Amino acid sequence: MPSDDFEAGTDVQETQFAAIPDDAEPASGHPQNSPVLNEHTHSKNNGVAHSTYGTIDGPATRSSTGRDTIPDAPKTVASPRALAPDLLRGFLMVLQAVDHCSIGQGAWRHGVALESEQDGTVVNKWNDPVPWTARMLTHFCAPGFMFLLGVGVVYFGRSRGKLGWSSWQMLRHFAIRAFALAAVNELLFTLPFGRGRIFILNIVLLALAVNYFLAGLLWLGINASEPVLSTLLHSSFHASSDDVVEQPLLQDGTRRSSAKSLSDWSMRCSWHIHNGILLAIAIITITWNQWLSPHHGHCPLDVPPGYSGPTQPNHTNLGPWFDFWFLNVNYGRVISPFPPLAWLSPAILGLLYGRILLARKWRAYTINAGNAASGVFLMLLFVLTRLLHFGNLSEDCLRMSEHLASPGRNQYLASFRSFFYIIKYPPSFSYIVFTMSINFLLLAFFGAFPEKFARRIPALLAFGQSALFFYIVHLMLYFGMGGLVKTWFGHELGHIDPMTGKPVVGTEGKPAVMWLTWLLGLAILWPLCRWYGRFKSTTGVNSVWRFF
């Protein structure tokens, strides 16, 4: 059963765009994660800049428990929270519910075409306009949740570091949360749908678990190596004590030595180098989906007329264990449409974005402008993938009437729907840049809301701040309601369910039933998520309830 995903483990004051605690942040542009900086400087600015991105700076505090003790408070102290990402996450939850509601009651085929958006799959018929539009909207969910997952790792690490957690304690937390996500995947999908015939059914949660742990591991590595590189740079270029000269008076009447300037330069240089490494990893981890494709994203030209579906076996010569991590696999007892490492790139981008966002005190306008500019840049990059035929995983795969009528024409320019045909399984480069473009534009949109207005947007904050709870409950709710709806309004749809081998029964052709069910489900979920959010805010920072 294909599914879109959610962001892993949202906490009201913790990870996945956690609330920003009232801790010190550098007032300058220096990276805040550098221990060299944290040991010698702290912000004296106690002002609070309220916006939908919360507070970036505040008074300095430090835990008295020591680095080997995890403090546990009975209640989290309220503080300003980055609201724009919460609103985005809540909005993606609402879109995701459309997908799962339609699947639960068999309202329409799951895809923009009648065949799945899979690497190297020939498609010859578009889905109807309403399900096509719904599917295009839900495309934003998977990479958006992965991206927010990576950002949340940075927020979590910064918050827990100021509470005195050691790297080992953070690593243990990342491992426990990843295990919890994998366990929920087994309980929510493998056991009920596998019915003893399937050992692993990865409908995204397992991919989220793996990528959450890898993102955490990468953040810990960067957090350790960044001050080391800064020290090496400083040592390499540092003048001897006899060569230190006083610089002219600065505007505030103080003097800054050349040694101090060199120290600042080495920290900034190390920070930028590590950001460049993250960007390089993000590019590599999305382009390897193209490199590892058994057919490099091309469909053969000698496919019989009228055929639709896969054209070649979807495996490599490196064995099933390797394929599980990078390709969509179906080995009977192991089914995984969301290969974990194929979805790693948005999480790495989230790490980079989080580091930039927390590196200094930014104006809300600057953040929104940066988000909008990132969205426009990625959209232009998407247009180039269409014009220059790179990063698509669907070359020569469109065989609709408009393509057959003009065989020599660029297939992506044959129609509006052709231009936006993107491959999700596994995600192509064009899929990632298009969907992340929309996510950045949505961040800019939500970030422009005044804080008081943002907090009054119905349901979105409640959904966005209880993501895993929403995900679990909404699946049970919509599939339970779907069973009842199919009993009352369902009929055979004329094709076979690949999981059961039986004719599919659904409500296709009755869109009012689907949309009313979707709205009813959201109306039920809203008070439940508000209740859970209030309950979670009363628990300690180590409580297992914060995983949800």
Side-chain angles (χ1 to χ4, degrees):
M1 179 191 68
S3 168
D4 284 319
D5 55 31
F6 76 107
E7 164 277 325
T10 302
D11 290 341
V12 170
Q13 295 284 342
E14 297 183 21
T15 183
Q16 313 313 354
F17 254 98
I20 303 172
D22 292 326
D23 293 321
E25 291 298 333
S28 69
H30 304 314
Q32 58 88 20
N33 283 330
S34 171
V36 177
L37 177 64
N38 292 340
E39 288 175 3
H40 298 291
T41 66
H42 61 83
S43 173
K44 298 295 185 181
N45 182 2
N46 294 339
V48 177
H50 292 288
S51 73
T52 47
Y53 280 90
T55 304
I56 302 300
D57 59 348
T61 61
R62 186 164 184 84
S63 171
S64 61
T65 58
R67 295 194 62 82
D68 294 328
T69 303
I70 302 178
D72 195 353
K75 183 177 182 179
T76 305
V77 178
S79 61
R81 180 184 175 92
L83 297 181
D86 281 338
L87 293 172
L88 172 61
R89 189 186 300 110
F91 181 70
L92 296 179
M93 286 290 178
V94 170
L95 293 180
Q96 178 184 243
V98 174
D99 230 10
H100 296 157
C101 181
S102 67
I103 295 172
Q105 61 182 262
W108 52 62
R109 293 284 191 98
H110 188 66
V112 296
L114 297 188
E115 294 292 337
S116 175
E117 305 105 340
Q118 186 167 330
D119 172 21
T121 296
V122 170
V123 293
N124 58 20
K125 187 175 182 180
W126 296 116
N127 211 336
D128 293 334
V130 171
W132 183 90
T133 303
R135 182 59 174 166
M136 285 300 300
L137 290 174
T138 59
H139 271 331
F140 312 145
C141 298
F145 292 135
M146 287 287 183
F147 173 77
L148 293 175
L149 177 150
V151 180
V153 167
V154 179
Y155 272 71
F156 174 86
R158 193 282 302 269
S159 173
R160 289 304 179 268
K162 291 182 179 297
L163 288 178
W165 283 32
S166 67
S167 296
W168 167 249
Q169 289 163 340
M170 292 186 199
L171 179 62
R172 183 177 64 181
H173 173 91
F174 294 142
I176 292 174
R177 176 162 278 183
F179 177 80
L181 283 169
V184 171
N185 180 83
E186 291 299 294
L187 294 174
L188 203 58
F189 295 118
T190 303
L191 292 181
F193 293 103
R195 301 173 186 176
R197 303 189 305 270
I198 300 174
F199 294 152
I200 297 177
L201 179 58
N202 172 27
I203 309 297
V204 85
L205 288 184
L206 188 58
L208 281 163
V210 171
N211 290 340
Y212 181 74
F213 180 74
L214 291 178
L217 199 63
L218 182 57
W219 182 86
L220 289 173
I222 286 179
N223 202 46
S225 63
E226 187 175 338
V228 172
L229 178 58
S230 176
T231 301
L232 290 174
L233 291 172
H234 186 273
S235 300
S236 300
F237 293 95
H238 188 268
S240 65
S241 58
D242 293 337
D243 296 330
V244 175
V245 296
E246 293 295 327
Q247 300 298 315
L249 286 175
L250 302 178
Q251 291 182 353
D252 60 0
T254 63
R255 296 180 183 271
R256 171 173 290 186
S257 68
S258 60
K260 174 61 176 174
S261 298
L262 182 60
S263 176
D264 294 343
W265 172 85
S266 65
M267 287 186 289
R268 288 196 300 271
C269 189
S270 178
W271 183 78
H272 285 295
I273 289 174
H274 281 80
N275 286 348
I277 292 172
L278 280 176
L279 180 60
I281 295 174
I283 294 173
I284 291 172
T285 52
I286 189 55
T287 53
W288 67 27
N289 291 345
Q290 189 88 22
W291 304 336
L292 295 173
S293 168
H295 27 71
H296 304 293
H298 285 260
C299 292
L301 297 177
D302 57 352
V303 174
Y307 173 81
S308 64
T311 56
Q312 300 179 43
N314 195 39
H315 61 78
T316 68
N317 296 325
L318 300 176
W321 173 251
F322 179 88
D323 293 349
F324 173 82
W325 299 102
F326 293 96
L327 302 176
N328 307 332
V329 297
N330 186 345
Y331 297 129
R333 293 189 177 276
V334 177
I335 300 175
S336 175
F338 282 88
L341 297 185
W343 287 91
L344 182 58
S345 180
I348 306 302
L349 284 175
L351 288 178
L352 175 59
Y353 180 83
R355 278 171 54 83
I356 294 173
L357 197 62
L358 295 185
R360 57 171 295 177
K361 176 184 174 182
W362 299 100
R363 293 178 180 272
Y365 171 83
T366 304
I367 297 175
N368 294 335
N371 287 332
S374 298
V376 171
F377 172 77
L378 291 175
M379 185 60 71
L380 292 175
L381 193 57
F382 169 72
V383 172
L384 290 179
T385 68
R386 311 278 92 174
L387 299 179
L388 302 181
H389 296 278
F390 70 92
N392 291 309
L393 290 179
S394 57
E395 296 294 337
D396 301 318
C397 296
L398 297 180
R399 308 291 172 89
M400 283 73 170
S401 57
E402 62 263 35
H403 307 103
L404 298 179
S406 304
R409 186 182 182 186
N410 183 334
Q411 65 172 4
Y412 302 113
L413 304 182
S415 65
F416 176 81
R417 291 199 276 190
S418 300
F419 189 81
F420 291 101
Y421 181 71
I422 45 182
I423 296 299
K424 182 178 181 179
Y425 305 109
S428 64
F429 179 83
S430 57
Y431 173 92
I432 292 297
V433 296
F434 174 71
T435 55
M436 285 308 303
S437 168
I438 301 300
N439 279 302
F440 273 112
L441 293 174
L442 287 171
L443 274 176
F445 173 72
F446 288 124
F449 293 169
E451 183 181 359
K452 291 183 179 180
F453 177 78
R455 291 188 179 278
R456 294 175 181 174
I457 297 178
L460 292 190
L461 283 179
F463 295 157
Q465 294 174 0
S466 301
L468 183 53
F469 176 81
F470 177 100
Y471 186 80
I472 294 173
V473 175
H474 101 285
L475 281 178
M476 294 188 292
L477 177 64
Y478 281 120
F479 278 89
M481 295 170 66
L484 294 176
V485 168
K486 286 190 289 186
T487 300
W488 298 332
F489 303 102
H491 56 91
E492 290 191 6
L493 302 182
H495 54 274
I496 303 299
D497 186 339
M499 294 289 293
T500 64
K502 299 179 180 180
V504 175
V505 175
T507 62
E508 188 172 332
K510 301 175 181 178
V513 174
M514 184 275 172
W515 293 113
L516 288 174
T517 306
W518 172 66
L519 290 174
L520 177 60
L522 293 179
I524 295 172
L525 287 162
W526 184 11
L528 291 176
C529 288
R530 289 181 64 187
W531 165 81
Y532 189 79
R534 288 193 297 266
F535 162 73
K536 187 167 62 171
S537 68
T538 65
T539 62
V541 295
N542 302 318
S543 172
V544 68
W545 297 111
R546 289 184 174 271
F547 283 16
F548 298 89

